[in-house]
């Protein structure tokens, strides 16, 4: 009779359990990506660059602004937040403003 033990630290198992497949489902991604695309079509900078470049740049900025949301959700669910990680996620959110 053999027993198997997990070699991963307990924190990693907590994090992996908190990530469910529903968070990263394609439907959830579309719910976030489509509004960013529509917003980029409506609101984009007025520069001398090509229109496609301006819309693409605006889309990337809007998408980057919401990319922090899944990280915040994981941090909120696990209740384990290292100070460096919290400061990094906060800086990402502030930099996108």
């Amino acid at each position: 009779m053999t027993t198997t033990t997990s070699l991963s630290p307990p924190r990693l198992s907590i994090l992996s359990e908190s990530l469910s497949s529903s968070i990263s489902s394609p439907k959830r991604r579309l719910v976030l990506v489509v509004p960013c695309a529509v917003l980029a079509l409506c609101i984009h900078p007025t520069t001398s660059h090509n229109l496609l470049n301006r819309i693409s740049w605006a889309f990337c900025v809007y998408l980057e602004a919401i990319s922090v949301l899944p990280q915040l959700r994981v941090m909120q669910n696990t209740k384990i937040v290292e100070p460096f990680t919290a400061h990094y996620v906060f800086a990402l959110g502030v930099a996108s403003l």
Side-chain angles (χ1 to χ4, degrees), residues 21-36:
S21 62
S22 65
I23 291 175
S24 62
S25 69
K27 288 182 183 178
R28 291 230 184 204
R29 289 183 200 152
L30 282 178
V31 167
L32 297 175
V33 171
V34 170
C36 288

Side-chain angles (χ1 to χ4, degrees), residues 18-83:
S18 68
L19 295 173
S20 65
S21 62
S22 65
I23 291 175
S24 62
S25 69
K27 288 182 183 178
R28 291 230 184 204
R29 289 183 200 152
L30 282 178
V31 167
L32 297 175
V33 171
V34 170
C36 288
V38 171
L39 191 62
L41 285 172
C42 297
I43 304 172
H44 53 272
T46 308
T47 62
S48 62
H49 294 81
N50 187 3
L51 179 65
L52 183 61
N53 290 346
R54 292 182 289 175
I55 292 172
S56 298
W57 180 83
F59 175 71
C60 291
V61 169
Y62 298 141
L63 197 60
E64 182 182 8
I66 64 165
S67 68
V68 178
L69 296 177
Q71 296 169 352
L72 291 175
R73 173 66 73 184
V74 169
M75 289 170 51
Q76 190 178 39
N77 287 344
T78 59
K79 308 283 191 234
I80 300 172
V81 181
E82 295 179 9

